[in-house]
Amino acid sequence: MLSPRTGDPGPELKSPREPRKSQTLPVSTWKSNSMKEQSTHPGDGMKPSLGSLKRTLFRTSLRASTHKPKEDEGLLRRSSRFLFRSLRRALDEGLTAGHPQGTAVPEKPSRVTDGVSQQAATGVEAEDLERQAESKSVADLITERQLVKAFEQLRYLETQLVADKTSRTFTQDPTAYARRAMDLCLHYDGMAAEIGAIVREALNSEGVDRDALAELAQVVHLEEEAHQTAQAEGDFLSTPRHWRQHWEDAVRLSAQERVQQAGAKVIPGAAEGASDLAQLLAELGGVVRRDLQKVRSEMQPAYEATDFPVWETYLRAFHSAVAQRLQELARDARGCEQLYVLLDWAANVYGSPDFLGAPDLALPTEPLPPLLEPALWARLESDYTSFLETKITSCFDSILQLEQSRWEAGEDLEVLQGLYHAPLSIDVHMLVAEHVKAAGAISAELEATTLQICARALCLFVPRFEKAFLASKAVSEWYLGAYINACVELRTSLLARFPGTIKELERPLVAATNNFQKHLLQIAQQDIQPLFKVLYTRNWLTQDTLHPLMDKVVDFAHHLEHVTPPLAQDTLQEVHRFVVREYLGQVLRPHERFSGLDRVKGSHKMSLDAQAISNTFRGLGSEAKWLDQAIPSVAEILGETYKDDIRRHLETLIRSYPDIRRDHILAILALRRLGRRRNQNLLQHTQDLLRAAHENRPSSHHVLFEEIEVPTSVDVLITCI
């Protein structure tokens, strides 16, 4: 075959893997040996040597065709170069066979190009051979990545071979056509392998060989124009080589290699921690970001002269490679942290508009398929929530243990913004808010699920915490006030931040608040209760026995100043009601009974005590003004000297306190010691008033006398009789 171009012969490029070796004998040596064979076999001439060369060439071509470019590109290039040289020697052999020489030409070293020595010849055939010997081989052009020139030569040789086939040149020797066609195909395959190598090197190297990319794009375009339609079955000449598809496959393979190499030294499944996985994903994101920036800024301009969809192809290739890598990581993800890191990276890092570092490089959301399939995404969220439920329960256990350590150590609580403060509310609020916010960054569905998990865990935690605290030795005004504040804060802040989503939290928080308030009142009652025993006694008439009691009240009220105002007011009113109730109970259940002047003194002392109690609680901020008339009303009945006015005082007492009962009236009359008939008249009159008061009593009435137990005594029985 003749090369379509001539030129000065250049040095043959050696394989980068092994030193260059002589692959064929020089033509002059082959001629000398053939002459000897001719003298030995005078009847055969040149045929044995030519047939032997053809068989050797065919076997070599078959062996070369079995090598994959990916395994040994240098071997493919050397095999292709050898086949092309063999093809030229076969032509040279045909020329020589057509013009035998009588005597052997003396051998003389001459300039060798591609292993073929030059030989003096006459005629047109010798001139063509000389031009071919001086030109570069197709293999050399491919090696030097002069793909356009290489394709032009291959296309010329392919056209000549098709013409020879059409003219039935190979009728007598069909194997010659097969060898030449196979040689062409091997060179085409070599060009395809070089295209793949150029694509891989474009991302793996520091810079970008724009000339090589431009050659690649141009040769793909030329091949598509040259091979537009498929040939008949079995004819592999002039058939489309699909180099554009080969280029896309090379881009896809290159992206997969780059993505798989990212973070190769990190083993995310070695432990349940998320740091290794986060490092791997950070490296992966960095590789994808740098490579796509390189594609847009350096590689895409090299393809501008063609219609190659460079950006779209690389973008889809990397997207597919990242999706495949994430699926592999998802299979090995362990624990709540790793699952969240994986979901967060897919949703917020990779899916971020500025992932690639520039607004014009944002990943499109519509054309690309989802990074993770919906079924896989749902499975990851489900696994994450399962781990999360266990983790949140464990976090609440840790909060309880931390509070218990404070109780055992007897740590003093802080006063924050005038209120007793415990870290409980901050710990719980941060725990819930942190996980809900993190889940919301991934999806609204995961946020709602996480909120429900937190609500369920908190509903179980509050009763456990309440029980553990009340069973400890740390129960005091300080801690009770702090935990009342914490429950109120959690109730208001969580419901305000997540309205309508965690209403089930209100019930356990309200129950805990009421229980803590109840125990706070019990502490006050236990301190004050013993001081009521000295009331309404002989000593009480002459001593100020109420002052120590009110001092206890004032001390307790100082703690209430550091409790949330609404609950502090409720607690103060309960203490106010408790003091009035216990005072009246002590009067109605006296250890001693007064008569005459002592009864009048006792009535006066009760009025003074009532005024002192009212003033004290008013000064502390109590709004329970309805309690102010209870003690004075009883005192007026006991000290009234004009007996007819007792009826009026009883009417006032019943109207002011409709929860009063008949036995309370009997106890008061027993203390007053009126006559039998007057007592009967008063009891008869108050009976109708009591009945009317109970019937007209509102549902949310105040309770005072209803909680005062009055035992039946002999005096009361006498009064009843």
Side-chain angles (χ1 to χ4, degrees), residues 531-537 540 545-546 549 583 586 609:
L531 301 179
F532 286 103
K533 294 180 180 180
V534 298
L535 298 179
Y536 212 73
T537 61
W540 167 71
T545 57
L546 185 66
L549 188 150
Y583 190 101
Q586 187 68 21
D609 288 346

Side-chain angles (χ1 to χ4, degrees), residues 4-23:
R5 300 188 182 191
T6 61
D8 295 334
E12 178 179 345
L13 294 178
K14 297 181 180 181
S15 171
R17 301 192 181 185
E18 61 183 15
R20 178 177 173 266
K21 296 181 181 179
S22 178
Q23 296 179 343

Side-chain angles (χ1 to χ4, degrees), residues 80-322:
S80 302
R81 190 181 305 118
F82 173 76
L83 291 172
F84 189 67
R85 294 171 190 159
S86 300
L87 182 59
R88 287 190 298 189
R89 284 195 297 273
L91 289 174
D92 182 34
E93 177 189 18
L95 293 174
T96 306
H99 302 277
Q101 299 181 9
T103 61
V105 179
E107 297 179 8
K108 182 179 181 180
S110 61
R111 186 176 61 181
V112 180
T113 302
D114 291 340
V116 180
S117 60
Q118 295 183 354
Q119 172 182 333
T122 59
V124 178
E125 293 83 359
E127 293 177 0
D128 292 341
L129 184 61
E130 179 69 17
R131 287 197 303 270
Q132 180 178 353
E134 292 178 355
S135 66
K136 290 184 178 181
S137 67
V138 176
D140 289 336
L141 293 174
I142 295 175
T143 303
E144 296 174 5
R145 293 187 172 174
Q146 300 184 40
L147 302 182
V148 174
K149 292 182 179 180
F151 178 77
E152 289 175 350
Q153 289 195 25
L154 283 178
R155 180 58 180 160
Y156 173 79
L157 296 174
E158 185 179 42
T159 304
Q160 292 295 323
L161 186 57
V162 171
D164 291 345
K165 178 185 177 184
T166 304
S167 62
R168 299 181 179 277
T169 303
F170 302 100
T171 303
Q172 299 300 324
D173 190 4
T175 58
Y177 168 76
R179 287 194 302 272
R180 291 173 60 182
M182 184 178 297
D183 197 28
L184 286 172
C185 289
L186 287 175
H187 281 80
Y188 275 133
D189 292 343
M191 291 188 68
E194 198 65 31
I195 290 173
I198 293 173
V199 171
R200 288 194 299 275
E201 292 174 7
L203 287 179
N204 292 327
S205 60
E206 291 294 333
V208 173
D209 189 351
R210 297 195 177 189
D211 295 336
L213 294 178
E215 283 274 329
L216 181 154
Q218 188 177 356
V219 79
V220 171
H221 183 69
L222 291 174
E223 189 277 333
E224 290 176 340
E225 289 184 348
H227 303 149
Q228 296 185 3
T229 57
Q231 303 301 312
E233 184 176 359
D235 192 349
F236 47 85
L237 288 179
S238 300
T239 188
R241 300 292 169 175
H242 304 291
W243 284 351
R244 186 181 293 267
Q245 181 63 42
H246 181 73
W247 172 79
E248 293 180 358
D249 295 340
V251 170
R252 198 156 42 245
L253 180 61
S254 178
Q256 289 178 357
E257 291 175 353
R258 296 286 295 172
V259 169
Q260 290 296 329
Q261 291 172 0
K265 297 181 180 180
V266 182
I267 306 176
E272 293 188 4
S275 59
D276 290 340
L277 180 59
Q279 178 185 351
L280 188 152
L281 292 174
E283 293 183 14
L284 174 61
V287 169
V288 174
R289 186 180 301 109
R290 289 190 298 270
D291 285 353
L292 287 178
Q293 288 174 350
K294 185 177 182 180
V295 169
R296 175 58 69 91
S297 61
E298 301 181 42
M299 296 171 59
Q300 189 172 8
Y303 292 88
E304 286 183 351
T306 60
D307 59 345
F308 271 63
V310 181
W311 174 248
E312 291 78 7
T313 303
Y314 271 97
L315 189 61
R316 289 184 177 276
F318 271 99
H319 184 76
S320 177
V322 171

